[in-house]
Amino acid sequence: MEKIDDSTIQRYLDEEMTEIERLEFEMKINESEALQQRIADYRSITEGIRYYGEQENWQQIRQLEAEARAIEAKSYQHPVSTKWLLRGAAASLVILMIAFPVYWQQDHQRYARLFNEHFQPYQALGGATRGSSDDGFVLPEAFEAYYEKDYPQAIELFTQASTQEDRPYVWLYLGNAYLSDKQPEEAVKALKQVLTYPDLDRRTEQRTHWYLGLAYLKLNNESGARRHFSLLEDTEDYGPQAQDILKSIY
Amino acid sequence: MKDNETIARIREGDQGVTSQIYQRYRQEFIRWMQKKYHCSEDDAREMYQCAFFAFYNQIKSGKLTHITASIKTYLFGIGKNKLHEQQRSNVRYEYSIDEEKVSNYDEDATRKQEKEIQYRQIEQALQQLDPPHRQMLIMVYYENRSMEYIANKLGYKNAASTKNQKYKCMKRIREMLETTKKVD
């Protein structure tokens, strides 16, 4: 069988062949399963690239939405200066004793506000993988529950799925389900699992730091949040939002 | 700026214009969805993101270059369609309880899951390419740009050398995926 190089396959898929070349090539395709497979592989790659492009755009839209929410929040915000508390502390220990819990509470309120402004459960653009299969493989059901916002159920199923499917994204979704279900401590544990995968891709790693930062905000753990958001400061996807949060919690 | 000029600027990646347009119609869209379709504020916000994404995606992929109506009309139209689409799919889901439908649904779910895994592998392979090469593939297959345009933007000698580089990158991705398959 004549060896067909990859550029010929790509010329065929890019519709760059003449009519005669195309007909001859299609005859070869009909005769060879290996060639059919190679063509299918290239088609999948093309689809995957489109999907990647769409994902990048989706992240951009999410960022625009976060910016819009930040603008909204700013218009409602009444920044409380700590200066008065410090003056009060200097003037009177009694005032400090009253003011400190208030200040502490304000920090917590600020973290809660930042969390609410920025947290949106992670959603891959492909949408829900719905339904269930008969072989006990629970991941589709887990996605189903997750996208239906049935987070307690999603937690249970993703936890099961993590024993069946050794993939970082299972933990990423589990962490998000915990965060959505207001269980930030559990979310931290799940999200930390993502970072244990040695061949983790850059985007998943950044996403994980983003959600870990948010989980720590939810836990009112400033240093934890700062640690993760600092890693994202210069990234394209999360940079502006991370910088915004870091400024706000400083 | 006229609407078609705005579209051209968005396609060229002008973040300022994109952000401006996103902000411009957001509040009005959310209020409109709440009032006309009785959506919650959260749902209306989500719907705006979806509608704007569809609009943005059409522009970036070169499918939308000109409109005769205004951007606002176009965007709100997408929002309305998306909402109807969502309502229809919810209804379909509720009624898909007979066995045959459930079985089709499962097959569909398995296929989707396989695709998702495949796309993740391709994403990982793309991440391993140099950024200009990754950018080139996105420009070819997602943005549907001509080789001349890409050569000009990314500094290749000409369209032929760009195409040659594209072949090499695609081949490299395929090889990376082959290696992943073997490891799995």
Side-chain angles (χ1 to χ4, degrees):
Chain A
M1 173 112 214
E2 171 195 356
K3 175 137 176 54
I4 291 168
D5 66 25
D6 287 57
S7 60
T8 309
I9 297 174
Q10 289 188 52
R11 282 186 57 232
Y12 170 70
L13 291 172
D14 292 345
E15 297 179 358
E16 286 170 354
M17 287 182 166
T18 62
E19 191 59 16
I20 296 168
E21 276 181 312
R22 187 179 65 79
L23 289 170
E24 279 175 5
F25 191 70
E26 281 177 349
M27 279 168 71
K28 287 175 191 159
I29 296 172
N30 288 334
E31 287 162 7
S32 163
E33 277 186 24
L35 183 55
Q36 287 166 19
Q37 185 55 50
R38 283 168 73 192
I39 287 171
D41 287 347
Y42 274 115
R43 283 208 167 108
S44 298
I45 294 170
T46 311
E47 273 177 33
I49 294 168
R50 285 194 194 113
Y51 177 77
Y52 181 86
E54 287 181 357
Q55 283 279 13
E56 295 237 299
N57 286 342
W58 180 240
Q59 288 302 327
Q60 237 175 304
I61 301 303
R62 295 285 296 270
Q63 207 166 311
L64 287 174
E65 177 62 21
E67 282 166 19
R69 287 185 188 210
I71 292 168
E72 261 177 11
K74 267 181 202 159
S75 64
Y76 293 121
Q77 196 182 354
H78 301 287
V80 178
S81 166
T82 55
K83 218 187 278 179
W84 288 106
L85 293 177
L86 292 171
R87 282 179 187 171
S92 162
L93 185 61
V94 176
I95 292 174
L96 177 67
M97 287 170 73
I98 298 162
F100 182 73
V102 173
Y103 175 66
W104 184 75
Q105 187 62 28
Q106 279 165 353
D107 264 355
H108 286 203
Q109 280 169 3
R110 193 164 66 232
Y111 300 155
R113 178 180 58 75
L114 285 169
F115 178 85
N116 291 336
E117 266 172 31
H118 290 278
F119 176 66
Q120 284 194 333
Y122 172 60
Q123 189 165 356
L125 189 65
T129 311
R130 292 167 185 269
S132 61
S133 53
D134 298 332
D135 55 4
F137 192 73
V138 297
L139 197 55
E141 282 181 70
F143 278 118
E144 166 76 30
Y146 183 85
Y147 285 111
E148 293 297 329
K149 299 183 179 170
D150 182 357
Y151 296 117
Q153 178 74 353
I155 288 167
E156 200 183 316
L157 293 167
F158 275 123
T159 306
Q160 275 185 57
S162 68
T163 62
Q164 299 173 335
E165 179 86 10
D166 188 22
R167 300 270 178 190
Y169 67 86
V170 176
W171 294 104
L172 182 65
Y173 275 101
L174 179 59
N176 270 268
Y178 273 126
L179 264 184
S180 304
D181 199 44
K182 300 185 174 57
Q183 298 189 57
E185 273 180 41
E186 294 303 318
V188 167
K189 284 182 204 161
L191 291 166
K192 278 184 175 172
Q193 286 292 328
V194 182
L195 299 175
T196 61
Y197 287 79
D199 55 348
L200 197 63
D201 65 276
R202 186 179 53 85
R203 293 173 72 90
T204 308
E205 189 181 343
Q206 288 176 5
R207 260 174 220 143
T208 308
H209 284 301
W210 171 249
Y211 286 110
L212 270 167
L214 289 171
Y216 280 118
L217 266 189
K218 189 81 179 158
L219 286 166
N220 298 314
N221 180 336
E222 187 197 315
S223 64
R226 183 186 297 283
R227 197 167 62 244
H228 290 283
F229 290 130
S230 300
L231 294 170
L232 299 170
E233 261 186 300
D234 300 321
T235 62
E236 202 179 314
D237 289 347
Y238 295 103
Q241 296 172 75
Q243 285 165 17
D244 182 40
I245 294 175
L246 285 167
K247 265 184 227 156
S248 304
I249 62 178
Y250 187 68
Chain B
M1 198 191 306
K2 294 208 170 119
D3 281 349
N4 284 328
E5 196 187 329
T6 301
I7 288 172
R9 297 268 291 266
I10 292 175
R11 170 129 163 100
E12 285 306 307
D14 190 326
Q15 291 302 305
V17 172
T18 308
S19 174
Q20 212 179 5
I21 296 297
Y22 188 86
Q23 303 284 354
R24 186 179 298 165
Y25 301 114
R26 184 173 171 275
Q27 274 306 332
E28 195 180 342
F29 182 97
I30 292 169
R31 279 196 298 269
W32 172 72
M33 274 267 154
Q34 285 179 284
K35 199 174 165 191
K36 184 150 189 191
Y37 299 103
H38 310 290
C39 287
S40 68
E41 193 177 350
D42 276 352
D43 285 347
R45 282 175 169 183
E46 208 173 304
M47 205 46 76
Y48 184 66
Q49 286 180 70
C50 289
F52 197 88
F53 170 70
F55 170 69
Y56 187 61
N57 210 22
Q58 283 175 1
I59 295 174
K60 291 295 278 183
S61 59
K63 288 172 193 151
L64 180 69
T65 51
H66 289 87
I67 48 174
T68 45
S70 66
I71 287 180
K72 183 184 158 186
T73 309
Y74 196 81
L75 204 50
F76 281 45
I78 298 176
K80 190 173 82 176
N81 290 340
K82 289 261 166 210
L83 184 77
H84 289 159
E85 212 174 276
Q86 194 190 52
Q87 285 166 344
R88 274 198 301 273
S89 74
N90 286 344
V91 170
R92 261 209 305 278
Y93 179 58
E94 278 169 26
Y95 287 106
S96 66
I97 44 175
D98 62 84
E99 270 178 30
E100 193 185 342
K101 280 180 184 165
V102 168
S103 140
N104 288 342
Y105 211 56
D106 287 347
E107 276 171 31
D108 203 29
T110 311
R111 264 201 304 276
K112 268 189 181 173
Q113 196 191 347
E114 280 168 4
K115 274 276 171 221
E116 192 157 326
I117 290 167
Q118 198 176 38
Y119 286 162
R120 278 177 197 283
Q121 287 170 344
I122 294 167
E123 182 181 342
Q124 280 170 5
L126 278 168
Q127 293 288 354
Q128 286 177 52
L129 291 182
D130 294 335
H133 291 160
R134 187 165 61 233
Q135 185 60 29
M136 177 184 61
L137 293 181
I138 292 169
M139 286 168 111
V140 175
Y141 289 110
Y142 173 62
E143 294 182 14
N144 296 307
R145 299 286 194 179
S146 69
M147 289 295 163
E148 287 78 11
Y149 177 92
I150 298 168
N152 188 31
K153 279 277 169 185
L154 299 182
Y156 288 101
K157 202 171 144 193
N158 52 34
S161 57
T162 313
K163 195 179 287 179
N164 192 32
Q165 188 58 52
K166 188 213 80 170
Y167 288 154
K168 285 182 188 164
C169 292
M170 288 292 278
K171 193 175 174 198
R172 205 171 144 221
I173 289 186
R174 188 172 161 259
E175 285 163 356
M176 283 193 256
L177 295 176
E178 282 291 311
T179 314
T180 314
K181 267 187 208 165
K182 278 176 197 158
V183 171
D184 285 351

